[in-house]
């Protein structure tokens, strides 16, 4: 039962996780479970040795799943469906790993992947894992500058890229973006491996670029390289409050144990099930629930290169579920809002047989009660909100369907998952009362699979998450726990925003706006959006004497953010104002700005240096609303 399991995971973490670790095939069984010798740096299974790719592929082939489909590639944008068995996937991965090795990639080397949603993205991730190399996938929607920042931090030996991505009906050429990133970056990889898609054949740089097929065809298959449980499997950059993203590190051992445990226990998904996470491999959901958890479990995973709407219609998700007999779907609430907007009555559902579907899991942003109700009425299966982050790698709060399904309270992600001791603290680090909103924290140690540190930056890891309240991991989210122990997550308390399930930093956007030669200062805040949950809104103050047309500057600013961060930032509106509201010590009052834009009551802070400016912001926001 849930309460008992949760209690045991906290009272006896060693026993609890040692048992979970039995589901993993170790080269050297760990004798240490929780290594708490160097707090606040906790490590799991520190003397264990394994290979993650072996656990995801080889062992299943050896144990009778060779002919089971491991991956279904469903791509409405290229009109392709491909079913790849475990044996075939292993062959492709071993071959590509051999190719990477021939380029000098070894244990501990970094490999950046800039890939669309094609099987080669999964092959490249697993090939790195096979060699003990550390992959770092960069989401295809990020612009060259963001890619360059990640290249300079991870310092990859090799970069693997697809020649293009396809956004509904638009071909986005990735190779020119990669070339520009390499012009910006100071670190240069030895080689770039390019997977040529027929939709856009990339021009190769002689001596540096290598063709994927030629490399894999010429390579000898590589065997699994044994790594320590604590060796990094991947780095995934995520938005923090500054313009420099955080390189979240994931280890091999704890990750394999936690993800293998999570699929049956949280998602109620068993070996052999067909499981679909409709995300992108560039995000943590893609890492954990398109690639690693389903393959570690011996499931069939669906890799979908399409959107919830427009590829070709709002019945796209139902088509995939019925074509492939999907038993559990995971997606962001924004995807359902997009479907609902185009098909409010849910008519398209009636064209498909959805009898295989047992549950729908939603995360990435708050599941608002309206979307919950709509999805629940439409599909007639449990709709499960669950909360987690890139940092955790797997759910922190959920309704653990595989342990004990609990009553759903719309607006709440239900209860802390075993392994997580979730607390709500006030600004002083003290626990708040039942039902009172505060900062969502997790008492240390975090369970296996969560971030052990930030890439080569232990200090930033401690500063960002652990130093505010010693003994606790601070999530950056606000929320409350009710009298029944249900946790509700209300949104970020920092300058991170969530746009269509994509985590973005307003600080990064501010850094771009501030670079415009006519801009004296600026602020970017997140505002509510019916489809995307939140979108950014920029405010700029122009330099004295600038006489150019404000509209022209605004469109330049929008374009700059698109070019430097990526279209995915979705910054479409920038307001020119005379001054920013600030405290007397010069701190920008973003919270007040957010309240004004949201039309909420707010208190004028006593520390404000000039309250009149708030009226001006109210006026410009009214003009903005009237123009919509
Ligand atoms: N490569 C290149 N460009 C990309 C991209 C990629 N991988 N992903 C998104 N973009 C572009 C889009 O084409 C769009 O460009 P545009 O401004 O020129 O139209 C822009 O980035 C914004 O994309 P998005 O936020 O996805 O908006 P959208 O209007 O295209 O689609 C949704 C809206 C709701 C359908 C879509 O955001 C969605 O499916 N979201 C789910 C997100 C998700 O899975 N998150 C993971 C957590 S589970
Ligand atoms: P990411 O690291 O990209 O997965 O984004 C994590 C952030 O998304 C969290 O810190 C939350 O702000 C938000 N988030 C994710 N899942 C949920 C959820 N179920 N409810 C509310 N917010 C969520």
């Amino acid at each position: 039962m849930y309460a008992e399991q949760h209690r045991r995971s906290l009272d006896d973490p060693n026993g609890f996780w040692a048992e979970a670790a039995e589901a993993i095939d170790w080269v050297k069984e760990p004798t240490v479970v929780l290594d708490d010798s160097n707090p606040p740096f906790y490590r799991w299974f520190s003397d264990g040795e394994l290979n993650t790719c072996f656990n995801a592929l080889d062992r299943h082939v050896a144990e009778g799943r060779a002919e089971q489909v491991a991956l279904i590639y469903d791509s409405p944008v290229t009109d392709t469906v491909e079913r790849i068995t475990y044996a075939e996937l292993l062959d492709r991965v071993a071959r590509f790993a051999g190719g990477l090795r021939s380029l000098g990639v070894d244990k501990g080397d970094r490999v950046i992947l800039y890939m669309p949603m094609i099987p080669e993205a999964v092959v490249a991730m697993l090939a790195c894992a096979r060699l003990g190399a550390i992959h770092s996938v960069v989401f295809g929607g990020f612009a060259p500058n963001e890619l360059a920042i990640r290249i300079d931090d991870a310092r990859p030996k090799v970069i693997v890229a697809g020649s293009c991505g396809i956004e509904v009906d638009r071909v986005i050429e990735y190779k020119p973006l990669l070339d520009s990133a390499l012009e910006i970056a100071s670190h240069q990889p030895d080689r770039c491996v390019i997977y040529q898609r027929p939709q856009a054949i990339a021009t190769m740089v002689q001596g540096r670029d290598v063709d994927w097929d030629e490399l894999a065809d010429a390579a000898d298959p590589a065997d699994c390289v044994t790594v320590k449980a604590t060796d990094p499997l991947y780095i995934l950059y995520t938005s923090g409050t500054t313009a420099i993203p955080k390189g979240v590190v994931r280890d091999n051992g704890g990750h394999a144990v936690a993800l293998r445990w999570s699929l049956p226990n949280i998602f109620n998904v068993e070996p052999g099930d067909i499981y679909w996470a409709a995300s992108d491999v560039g995000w943590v959901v893609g890492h954990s629930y398109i690639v690693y958890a389903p393959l570690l479990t011996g499931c069939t995973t669906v890799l979908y290169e399409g959107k919830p709407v427009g590829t070709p219609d709002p019945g796209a998700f139902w088509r995939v579920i019925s074509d492939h007999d999907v038993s559990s779907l995971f997606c962001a609430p924004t995807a359902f809002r997009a479907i609902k907007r185009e098909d409010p009555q849910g008519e398209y559902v009636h064209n498909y047989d959805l009898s295989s579907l047992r549950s729908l899991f939603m995360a990435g942003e708050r599941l608002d009660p309206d979307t919950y109700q709509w999805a629940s009425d439409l599909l007639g299966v449990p709709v499960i909100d669950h909360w987690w982050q890139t940092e955790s790698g797997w759910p922190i709060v959920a309704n653990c369907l595989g342990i004990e399904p609990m009553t759903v309270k719309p607006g709440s992600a239900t209860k802390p998952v075993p392994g997580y001791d979730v607390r709500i603290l006030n600004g002083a680090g003290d626990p708040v009362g039942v039902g009172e909103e505060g900062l969502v924290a997790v008492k240390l140690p975090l369970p296996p699979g969560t971030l052990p540190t930030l890439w080569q930056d232990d200090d930033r890891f401690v500063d960002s998450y652990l130093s505010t309240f010693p003994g606790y991991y601070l999530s950056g989210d606000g929320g409350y726990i009710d009298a029944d122990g249900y946790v509700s997550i209300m949104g970020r308390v920092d300058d991170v925003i969530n746009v269509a399930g994509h985590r973005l930093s307003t600080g990064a956007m501010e850094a771009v706006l501030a670079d415009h030669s006519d801009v004296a200062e600026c602020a970017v805040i997140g505002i509510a959006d019916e489809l995307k949950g939140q979108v950014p809104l920029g405010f700029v103050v122009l330099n004295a004497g600038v006489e150019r047309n404000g509209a022209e500057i605004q469109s330049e600013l929008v374009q700059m953010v698109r070019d430097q961060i990526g279209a995915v930032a979705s910054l479409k509106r920038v307001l020119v104002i005379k001054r920013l509201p600030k405290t007397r010590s010069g701190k920008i009052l973003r919270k007040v700005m957010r309240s004004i834009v949201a039309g909420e009551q707010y208190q004028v802070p006593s520390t404000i240096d000039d309250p009149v400016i708030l009226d001006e912001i109210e006026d410009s926001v009214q003009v903005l609303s009237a123009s919509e």
Side-chain angles (χ1 to χ4, degrees), residues 98-393:
L100 286 177
R101 173 172 287 157
S102 72
L103 300 180
V105 174
D106 230 327
K107 182 151 116 176
D109 289 335
R110 274 81 58 215
V111 177
I112 279 194
L113 312 179
Y114 190 57
M115 300 286 280
M117 285 285 285
I118 55 176
E120 287 69 21
V122 180
V123 169
M125 289 166 81
L126 292 169
C128 291
R130 195 167 187 82
L131 296 176
I134 304 166
H135 62 69
S136 186
V137 184
V138 179
F139 175 61
F142 279 126
N145 189 53
E146 289 290 317
L147 178 56
I149 292 171
R150 288 154 175 83
I151 292 170
D152 278 339
D153 197 67
R155 307 182 65 79
K157 189 169 250 179
V158 166
I159 297 181
V160 182
S163 60
C164 66
I166 302 166
E167 282 292 294
V168 187
D169 52 3
R170 270 183 309 146
V171 172
I172 315 261
E173 292 196 34
Y174 281 8
K175 183 61 183 1
L177 303 177
L178 170 61
D179 290 340
S180 317
L182 287 171
E183 274 167 30
I184 302 167
S186 11
H187 173 83
Q188 297 295 305
D190 293 353
R191 296 301 188 109
C192 295
V193 180
I194 308 299
Y195 182 77
Q196 296 281 20
R197 304 187 77 185
Q199 294 77 10
I201 300 296
T203 311
M204 306 290 262
V205 173
Q206 286 305 319
R208 186 196 74 189
D209 297 346
V210 186
D211 178 81
W212 172 299
D213 285 335
E214 286 172 21
L215 181 74
D217 287 348
D220 291 326
D223 264 343
C224 292
V225 172
T226 300
V227 297
K228 291 195 198 117
T230 51
D231 281 342
L233 169 68
Y234 70 75
I235 306 164
L236 180 57
Y237 288 89
T238 189
S239 300
T241 51
T242 68
I244 305 298
K246 293 168 169 168
V248 168
V249 173
R250 193 82 56 212
D251 67 10
N252 274 274
H255 173 254
V257 171
L259 291 195
R260 177 67 186 84
W261 182 89
S262 73
L263 217 51
N265 287 288
I266 301 175
F267 296 89
N268 196 24
V269 168
E270 296 291 343
D273 280 348
I274 296 160
Y275 177 77
W276 177 26
S279 177
D280 188 287
V281 287
W283 305 110
V284 71
V285 176
H287 281 62
S288 295
Y289 292 104
I290 294 176
V291 183
Y292 287 109
L295 296 179
L296 286 165
T297 308
C299 295
T300 298
T301 186
V302 179
L303 183 79
Y304 174 68
E305 189 183 27
K307 300 258 177 184
V309 293
T311 56
D313 56 40
F317 274 21
W318 324 139
R319 199 252 325 141
V320 174
I321 293 168
S322 94
D323 279 0
H324 307 305
D325 289 329
V326 169
S327 53
S328 186
L329 167 64
F330 177 165
C331 69
T334 188
F336 266 67
R337 290 197 296 270
I339 296 169
K340 184 177 166 211
R341 194 165 73 165
E342 291 201 6
D343 178 21
Q345 304 307 321
E347 304 285 356
Y348 280 80
V349 158
H350 306 306
N351 303 336
Y352 300 95
D353 172 7
L354 302 188
S355 55
S356 61
L357 191 71
R358 299 196 304 255
S359 58
L360 168 65
F361 278 76
M362 302 244 215
E365 54 173 329
R366 181 160 186 269
L367 174 56
D368 55 288
D370 282 354
T371 306
Y372 165 79
Q373 209 53 56
W374 190 78
S376 184
D377 293 346
L378 186 70
L379 298 176
V381 297
V383 175
I384 307 297
D385 181 9
H386 60 309
W387 170 69
W388 52 296
Q389 312 180 296
T390 304
E391 289 84 347
S392 68

Side-chain angles (χ1 to χ4, degrees), residues 282-570:
W283 305 110
V284 71
V285 176
H287 281 62
S288 295
Y289 292 104
I290 294 176
V291 183
Y292 287 109
L295 296 179
L296 286 165
T297 308
C299 295
T300 298
T301 186
V302 179
L303 183 79
Y304 174 68
E305 189 183 27
K307 300 258 177 184
V309 293
T311 56
D313 56 40
F317 274 21
W318 324 139
R319 199 252 325 141
V320 174
I321 293 168
S322 94
D323 279 0
H324 307 305
D325 289 329
V326 169
S327 53
S328 186
L329 167 64
F330 177 165
C331 69
T334 188
F336 266 67
R337 290 197 296 270
I339 296 169
K340 184 177 166 211
R341 194 165 73 165
E342 291 201 6
D343 178 21
Q345 304 307 321
E347 304 285 356
Y348 280 80
V349 158
H350 306 306
N351 303 336
Y352 300 95
D353 172 7
L354 302 188
S355 55
S356 61
L357 191 71
R358 299 196 304 255
S359 58
L360 168 65
F361 278 76
M362 302 244 215
E365 54 173 329
R366 181 160 186 269
L367 174 56
D368 55 288
D370 282 354
T371 306
Y372 165 79
Q373 209 53 56
W374 190 78
S376 184
D377 293 346
L378 186 70
L379 298 176
V381 297
V383 175
I384 307 297
D385 181 9
H386 60 309
W387 170 69
W388 52 296
Q389 312 180 296
T390 304
E391 289 84 347
S392 68
W394 61 289
I396 306 172
V397 174
N399 192 338
C400 294
L401 281 194
I403 300 177
E404 178 190 2
M406 282 179 267
T407 308
V408 169
K409 291 193 190 184
S412 163
T414 315
K415 295 194 183 184
V417 168
Y420 291 98
D421 188 355
V422 177
R423 309 286 179 98
I424 310 291
L425 307 177
N426 65 18
D430 298 319
V432 301
V434 169
E436 211 179 300
E437 210 168 311
L439 307 168
V440 185
V442 185
K443 195 162 182 296
L444 298 179
L446 294 174
T450 54
L451 81 171
T453 191
L454 294 176
W455 177 245
Q456 296 196 324
D457 205 343
D458 285 349
D459 291 345
R460 190 174 180 203
F461 170 59
V462 173
D463 286 351
S464 307
Y465 305 105
L466 308 179
S467 64
T468 312
F469 305 129
Y472 293 90
Y473 164 83
L474 209 52
S475 69
D477 280 306
Y480 63 90
I481 303 183
D482 75 8
D484 298 324
Y486 277 60
V487 183
S488 292
I489 304 294
M490 304 309 289
R492 300 287 305 193
V493 293
D494 55 14
D495 295 326
V496 167
I497 58 171
N498 208 303
V499 180
H502 308 314
R503 174 166 161 183
L504 297 162
S505 158
T506 54
M509 293 184 220
E510 287 175 4
V512 174
L513 299 186
D515 240 14
H516 190 288
S517 54
D518 291 339
V519 169
E521 49 181 3
C522 64
V524 174
I525 59 170
I527 62 167
D529 181 82
E530 215 176 301
L531 173 67
K532 298 194 176 191
Q534 276 187 303
V535 287
L537 173 65
F539 290 88
V540 292
V541 177
L542 300 181
N543 286 319
V546 171
E547 282 173 5
R548 292 176 58 214
N549 180 328
E552 202 173 286
I553 298 174
Q554 285 160 345
S555 68
E556 286 168 9
L557 291 168
V558 166
Q559 193 58 40
M560 278 172 78
V561 170
R562 209 178 154 85
D563 291 344
Q564 291 184 41
I565 295 180
V568 73
S570 300

